Amino acid sequence: MKLFLLVPISLLQICCSVQSFSLAISTARSPDTMKIQDRLKPDTTIKCVYSDIKDIQNKNMKRSNDPEYIIAYWSIRGLAAPLRMMLAAAKVNHWVVMYDVSETPTGGWNKAAYETDKAWLKKEYNPFMNLPFLVDCRKKEKRIDNNKIQDSNIDTNDRKKQHDDHDDRVIAQTNAIFTYLGRKLNMMGNSVEEESRCEELLCEIMDLRNVMVGFAYKSNVDECEQDAIQLLQTCNRHLEKFEAHLQQKTGKPGYLVGERLSAPDFHLYEMLDQLDGLCRTFESVSKGWRLSFPHLVTFQGKFRSLEDNQDYFGRNSPALPYNNPYARFGSDPETLGKYKRGQNAPWRAQASVEVTHVVKRSTTTAFALGNKRKHYS
C-alpha cells in the first residue's frame, strides 16, 4: 500500500522561494563578515583534528573541528615542514593549507591560487604577506593595562578596517612565525636566557637553510654533483656551531634548549634530514656529515623517536618534494633530483582532507592545552 503526501503547489512554491532566498543570503555574505578559513581557496587543505578519547566516548559532548591555526605554504616541504611539525607536536586543531606551482602551456609556472589569496590578505590583513603565513584563528586575547581591559591585537594609533565578526590574525615571515608559535605553544624555553638561545638558534638555522636553498635553485643541473661538494663544506661550518652547542649543553639529549621541545628543534631536524637526502643523491658527498658530528646524530635520532612527533611522521599522505618544481635539487620527491615537466605529481590538488587524531588527555598538556605563556621577570 502506497501513501502519498499531498501538498498544495502554492505552498511548495513558497517553501522553495524562502529556501532560495535564504541560500542567496548565506552565499552572498560580505568578505568582511567571513573568517579567513572560509575565504582561502588553496589547492589542498589538510584539516588536522585532535580529539581526546574520553570526549569521543561522550556522545553528548559537542566538539569543534575548527582550526586554532592555519599554516599556509607551497605544496612542498620547504620552510613550512618544521612549522607543520610544531603544530602536530602540540596537538592543536590546525589546517595545513598548500598552494601548487604547476606548468602552464607556454612554459611558465602557474601560481594563481596563491596570488589570488595573497591579494586580499595583503590588502586587508598584512602588508608583509608572503609564504609561509600563519593564521591565528583563536579568540583575541585581552590584557590589563592601567586597570583597563584592552584588545592586544588592535593598534589604536592606526585603526584599519576591522573584521568585527571574527578574530583572525595573520603573521608572515618564517622566523616571526616560529617565535609566535613558540610563545603560543610554550616552545620557546623556560626563561629569558632560554628564549634568547631559541632565537639565536633560529637565526643560525636560517643561515644554514639559505645556503642549501641557494644550491637547490641554481639553474645549471650539470654542475649539481660538483656543487654538492662545496655545499657540504659550507654547511659543515654551520653544523660545527650546533655540534659545539650540544656538546656544551647539559640535560637530556635530543633537545637544543632545556629538556623539552622548542621551536628550533623542528627546523634543525628538517635541515639535517634534507642534508641526508643530499648525501644519498650525490656520490661526491656520499660519506655525508654524520661521522664528524656525533651529537647532532644523537639529536636527530632522539627527535625522530619522540612520541610527540609520531602524528606527523606517521601521516599517510603523498610525499612532498623539498623544493618547488623549478629547483634542480629536491623538486622530485622520489629521486630528489629535478622535476620533469608533465610528470606525475600526486602531492598536488588534493582538495580538502580531514585527518582525526585520537589522543589521551595527558599527552596534550605538555604544550598548548596545559601551559599558559610564562611572563619572565
Side-chain angles (χ1 to χ4, degrees), residues 53-219:
I53 189 169
K54 293 182 180 179
D55 294 342
I56 293 176
Q57 293 171 347
N58 184 357
K59 297 181 179 180
N60 296 323
M61 177 173 286
K62 186 177 180 180
R63 298 184 298 275
S64 173
N65 292 348
D66 285 343
E68 294 187 35
Y69 299 96
I70 299 171
I71 186 66
Y73 195 58
W74 304 115
S75 50
I76 61 174
R77 283 166 60 169
L79 291 163
L83 296 167
R84 296 164 185 159
M85 286 187 223
M86 285 181 70
L87 290 166
K91 297 179 174 57
V92 295
N93 287 1
H94 65 279
W95 288 6
V96 173
V97 161
M98 295 190 287
Y99 297 97
D100 293 343
V101 177
S102 56
E103 298 90 335
T104 65
T106 58
W109 299 101
N110 177 19
K111 305 176 182 178
Y114 170 60
E115 289 170 351
T116 299
D117 281 344
K118 178 182 179 180
W120 59 265
L121 285 165
K122 182 177 181 179
K123 180 179 179 181
E124 300 175 30
Y125 286 91
N126 191 333
F128 301 108
M129 269 306 303
N130 205 345
L131 287 176
F133 67 83
L134 176 78
V135 183
D136 188 339
C137 308
R138 302 168 308 150
K139 292 295 182 182
K140 292 175 182 171
E141 297 174 353
K142 304 290 183 179
R143 61 183 175 84
I144 299 177
D145 188 10
N146 295 329
N147 297 322
K148 294 181 180 180
I149 300 295
Q150 298 182 348
D151 189 333
S152 62
N153 298 312
I154 296 178
D155 182 356
T156 56
N157 296 321
D158 183 21
R159 287 179 176 270
K160 298 176 68 175
K161 181 179 179 182
Q162 297 299 311
H163 297 258
D164 294 328
D165 289 351
H166 53 88
D167 303 301
D168 295 334
R169 285 157 286 179
V170 179
I171 299 93
Q173 300 298 335
T174 307
N175 273 351
I177 298 174
F178 270 119
T179 54
Y180 184 91
L181 276 180
R183 294 183 178 108
K184 295 297 182 181
L185 303 178
N186 204 12
M187 294 183 181
M188 284 294 285
N190 283 326
S191 66
V192 172
E193 290 77 15
E194 287 189 356
E195 185 171 8
S196 296
R197 182 49 57 93
C198 285
E199 292 170 340
E200 287 177 334
L201 286 161
L202 286 170
C203 292
E204 186 68 32
I205 298 167
M206 188 60 73
D207 289 343
L208 171 62
R209 172 178 284 280
N210 288 339
V211 171
M212 294 191 66
V213 169
F215 161 82
Y217 284 91
K218 283 184 177 180
S219 59

Side-chain angles (χ1 to χ4, degrees), residues 294-305:
H295 289 86
L296 281 172
V297 172
T298 299
F299 162 81
Q300 184 187 35
K302 291 286 187 180
F303 180 92
R304 176 82 191 202
S305 65

